[in-house]
Amino acid sequence: MPRQQLQTLTEPMYYVLLSLIEENHGYGIMQRVQTLTDGRVKLGAGTLYTLLSRFEKEKLIEYLREEDRKKIYRLTRKGYDTLHAEYTRLCQMVAEGAPFFPNEAAFSREEET
Amino acid sequence: MMKFVPRYFNFSTLDYRTIPVYLEQQAQHGLELHRLVPLLPIALFERRTDAHRSYCCDVQNLTIEQEEDYLTLCAEAGWERIDRQGMLYIFRSAPGQHPTPLHTDPELERHNVLRMFRSYELWTPLSQILIFALNCREIFTSLLGYTLACWAGLLSLFYMLWCVLTLVSNLSMMLHYRFASGRALEQGEPLPVCPLPLAWLRGIPSALTNLLFTLAIGGVLTIWLHTWTMMLLCLTVLLCLSVGFYWWRTPENTAYPVSWKPFAISFILLLGCIVVSGNTVNRYYDVVYQMSLAQDIPGIIHVTDLEPEQNGKTCTKARFYQTSSPFVSTMISYEESTDLMSSVETEWFHCRWPWVAQLIFDASCGKYDKDILDCVEIDAAPYGADRAVGIFLTEVDSFAIILQKGVDVMTVDSSHIVQESYIPILAEKFQQLHMQQS
């Protein structure tokens, strides 16, 4: 059976969709992602263009209008649901992992001794 | 000192990560890429002493509208497009700047590159081979005997060879990239960069096949236009086309289909060359010249041969054509007609192998079959042939006879009512040709 497209999102995919909860254009998305992640995640123009084309094709985002030769996009309902599903999945993963990391400092001390 | 320095530049799409490495190397020698020369594997570099620039290359297949969006985004991100070659887009940063690389998601990059490579560089040669295979029999049987068409057939064969080579080469490159990049991703390493010597090496077959292709076109033009001078003129036109592409490209749009001007000028030049040389027009209408040529060749049938009464008919059109091809060592076509609509056309092939003669014989029968005319097997013995087929149309007063013996095939198409008295004439002409060639 073929794997369902965009069932799970990669890190760049997640942040691009997150940036498009509000309308934004290509370069704006790159800056927004950098701000959101404190510069941890950087998006290349090629990566972003490929993602935007793919999301638009999958109807996760929609093209709204053009301003100063820049295309403005926004998340669609389907895109929001996909993003929310990923958010829930990540929260669940964090919650399931939390009991295993009660005290990081104690683990470090044990390792030293 | 030359303003621009030309360098060999012929990279495969999958070597997109090698191009920046090569450009960095050139930059260390003070050379910066200025432009690529369209249709030729050459790049022009200029001498610059600016601060260090970064280079990047991406693989995209975009329409003009998409390209505009893509380039705007890249420009905002700090990447200025230098030029493109097919699906390869080459960028540079501003001096002293180090923008974020174009691709920051290796998995997506790999997926995208492989998808585009599969779609355009694997399926294109494969689909062409399939189309050729489906039409193979038709191409051989209907075109083999006719010189120009035969060269077109040979060109098709060259082209197919090129397609097969391209397919094998592309497939091996794709598999190599697929495995190497897959392994790199598993180990958390950057995607592989093909070493420069290997990338050059991979470019050589495509450059060679392009050369073969050009030579094949040159061969066809030589045969068609009869003279080497004409071929040189045509190659000059091709060169003009390449130079024209270069000069008429605007800085805003360097996509290849740019301007109709080089095409129009090349076409006018080519047409002018043909008309000035008179190779086609004059030879067709110079009746005396054509007939005098045909007189020297035995086996040519004149209108008067089928009308022994000599009723004063004058030949008004004669077309004589003699040439050779890789499959047919000599092919003669002679057509003579009078103003009283009396005509006879003789085609004679001396093939290099009997199977070619067989194919031409079948193809000639097939040609009449297509016109819904019935080919009738007739006794070959009176003509001294191995096989003979006749097409007789009494309602329009015409006949055609196709004869084959060994490697020789003769077709006589006439606007006369078939008569018993023609048999010895045709037999004599056929034997003349066969004996002479043997």
Side-chain angles (χ1 to χ4, degrees):
Chain A
M1 199 173 93
R3 190 175 70 88
Q4 197 185 333
Q5 291 280 309
L6 302 171
Q7 203 174 21
T8 55
L9 302 176
T10 62
E11 196 173 48
M13 283 176 180
Y14 179 78
Y15 283 111
V16 168
L17 289 181
L18 205 59
S19 310
L20 283 171
I21 287 183
E22 290 167 12
E23 356 182 301
N24 213 337
H25 58 83
Y27 188 58
I29 298 169
M30 288 165 77
Q31 288 175 316
R32 181 98 177 104
V33 170
Q34 217 162 333
T35 316
L36 276 173
T37 61
D38 274 339
R40 185 179 61 82
V41 176
K42 283 182 180 175
L43 271 180
T47 300
L48 178 61
Y49 184 81
T50 311
L51 284 179
L52 289 177
S53 308
R54 193 169 164 191
F55 288 156
E56 202 179 2
K57 200 174 156 191
E58 298 282 336
K59 295 193 181 350
L60 298 184
I61 60 170
E62 61 185 342
Y63 163 67
L64 295 178
R65 62 187 178 280
E66 199 168 306
E67 278 177 18
D68 300 330
R69 296 177 65 191
K70 290 172 186 171
K71 281 186 167 179
I72 311 286
Y73 295 95
R74 192 181 55 192
L75 212 60
T76 59
R77 183 73 232 178
K78 186 184 172 189
Y80 182 84
D81 291 343
T82 307
L83 182 66
H84 191 262
E86 182 66 13
Y87 170 76
T88 314
R89 191 179 73 86
L90 291 174
C91 286
Q92 194 178 347
M93 281 168 72
V94 171
E96 284 162 2
F100 295 94
F101 304 99
N103 192 342
E104 184 71 21
F107 182 76
S108 303
R109 267 201 305 278
E110 269 175 31
E111 201 175 42
E112 277 168 19
T113 53
Chain B
M1 188 189 277
M2 277 174 69
K3 191 184 174 190
F4 297 119
V5 182
R7 288 277 185 274
Y8 178 73
F9 191 96
N10 191 26
F11 287 97
S12 151
T13 307
L14 288 181
D15 292 331
Y16 68 102
R17 279 179 158 257
T18 312
I19 295 173
V21 176
Y22 172 66
L23 295 178
E24 293 277 354
Q25 274 185 13
Q26 294 301 315
Q28 282 168 8
H29 295 101
L31 294 174
E32 189 182 302
L33 181 64
H34 172 66
R35 262 186 176 182
L36 304 179
V37 178
L39 308 178
L40 293 177
I42 293 171
L44 295 180
F45 287 81
E46 58 186 332
R47 296 185 191 283
R48 295 282 283 266
T49 49
D50 287 350
H52 178 261
R53 289 175 187 258
S54 303
Y55 294 93
C56 206
C57 191
D58 195 11
V59 182
Q60 294 285 354
N61 185 48
L62 308 167
T63 63
I64 290 176
E65 194 184 323
Q66 288 171 330
E67 187 183 67
E68 200 184 323
D69 297 336
Y70 172 67
L71 293 179
T72 307
L73 185 60
C74 291
E76 283 177 326
W79 291 108
E80 175 199 350
R81 195 267 303 266
I82 312 174
D83 210 331
R84 63 172 276 202
Q85 185 184 58
M87 292 191 289
L88 290 170
Y89 284 77
I90 304 166
F91 297 88
R92 70 177 166 212
S93 68
Q97 298 288 310
H98 297 282
T100 309
L102 280 176
H103 279 283
T104 45
D105 185 342
E107 203 172 333
L108 187 70
E109 177 185 345
R110 175 179 180 260
H111 173 81
N112 201 37
V113 168
L114 281 173
R115 184 176 57 86
M116 264 182 286
F117 192 80
R118 254 196 319 267
S119 308
Y120 298 97
E121 301 211 22
L122 221 56
W123 281 114
T124 307
L126 191 64
S127 59
Q128 282 163 348
I129 290 169
L130 283 174
I131 291 168
F132 180 80
L134 288 172
N135 293 290
C136 196
R137 191 178 174 278
E138 189 68 19
I139 288 168
F140 272 101
T141 53
S142 61
L143 297 185
L144 204 56
Y146 301 93
T147 310
L148 183 61
C150 180
W151 278 98
L154 189 70
L155 185 68
S156 307
L157 277 178
F158 266 114
Y159 187 57
M160 277 310 106
L161 183 68
W162 178 72
C163 282
V164 171
L165 280 176
T166 312
L167 184 68
V168 171
S169 153
N170 286 356
L171 194 67
S172 63
M173 269 196 280
M174 195 191 78
L175 289 174
H176 177 261
Y177 178 84
R178 194 186 168 87
F179 290 126
S181 57
R183 206 166 39 238
L185 283 179
E186 275 174 19
Q187 293 168 1
E189 290 171 359
L191 290 178
V193 179
C194 177
L196 195 55
L198 181 61
W200 284 135
L201 209 65
R202 296 205 291 201
I204 289 172
S206 84
L208 276 178
T209 44
N210 284 343
L211 183 71
L212 270 178
F213 194 62
T214 312
L215 284 177
I217 291 173
V220 170
L221 288 175
T222 314
I223 295 297
W224 181 38
L225 303 168
H226 305 288
T227 63
W228 284 99
T229 325
M230 284 304 295
M231 191 194 105
L232 285 176
L233 276 171
C234 287
L235 288 179
T236 312
V237 170
L238 283 176
L239 195 65
C240 289
L241 198 72
S242 178
V243 175
F245 264 133
Y246 179 83
W247 288 113
W248 265 298
R249 285 194 305 171
T250 57
E252 292 78 30
N253 176 24
T254 56
Y256 287 153
V258 182
S259 167
W260 53 270
K261 288 175 192 170
F263 287 109
I265 290 173
S266 304
F267 180 72
I268 291 165
L269 276 175
L270 187 67
L271 203 67
C273 291
I274 292 170
V275 171
V276 170
S277 77
N279 271 333
T280 51
V281 180
N282 289 347
R283 286 194 182 186
Y284 192 85
Y285 289 109
D286 188 351
V287 175
V288 178
Y289 176 63
Q290 302 287 350
M291 287 187 73
S292 67
L293 272 178
Q295 292 297 336
D296 300 333
I297 309 273
I300 294 299
I301 300 169
H302 300 276
V303 173
T304 48
D305 290 330
L306 304 184
E307 294 172 1
E309 297 87 16
Q310 301 289 323
N311 56 8
K313 286 178 182 175
T314 314
C315 177
T316 53
K317 187 175 90 176
R319 187 173 63 167
F320 176 73
Y321 194 61
Q322 179 181 13
T323 189
S324 62
S325 80
F327 301 101
V328 180
S329 62
T330 313
M331 181 267 194
I332 294 166
S333 172
Y334 179 68
E335 184 188 352
E336 193 177 292
S337 58
T338 71
D339 52 3
L340 295 172
M341 302 303 288
S342 187
S343 70
V344 60
E345 185 182 346
T346 318
E347 271 188 345
W348 189 86
F349 304 92
H350 181 69
C351 306
R352 295 189 195 277
W353 303 281
W355 65 267
V356 179
Q358 189 81 29
L359 275 175
I360 292 172
F361 185 87
D362 293 340
S364 302
C365 296
K367 196 168 70 177
Y368 287 103
D369 275 341
K370 272 184 187 169
D371 294 338
I372 325 172
L373 302 172
D374 290 329
C375 299
V376 184
E377 287 268 356
I378 55 173
D379 187 11
Y383 301 97
D386 296 336
R387 291 173 73 191
V389 159
I391 300 100
F392 306 107
L393 290 169
T394 46
E395 61 270 27
V396 288
D397 298 350
S398 65
F399 75 90
I401 284 180
I402 307 162
L403 306 169
Q404 188 212 339
K405 183 171 187 174
V407 290
D408 295 319
V409 179
M410 185 182 185
T411 309
V412 182
D413 198 337
S414 163
S415 65
H416 296 77
I417 303 169
V418 67
Q419 292 177 21
E420 286 288 320
S421 60
Y422 294 160
I423 294 176
I425 297 170
L426 299 182
E428 186 194 350
K429 299 282 184 182
F430 185 58
Q431 290 308 316
Q432 273 178 11
L433 286 166
H434 187 64
M435 293 303 290
Q436 192 201 34
Q437 292 298 327
S438 300

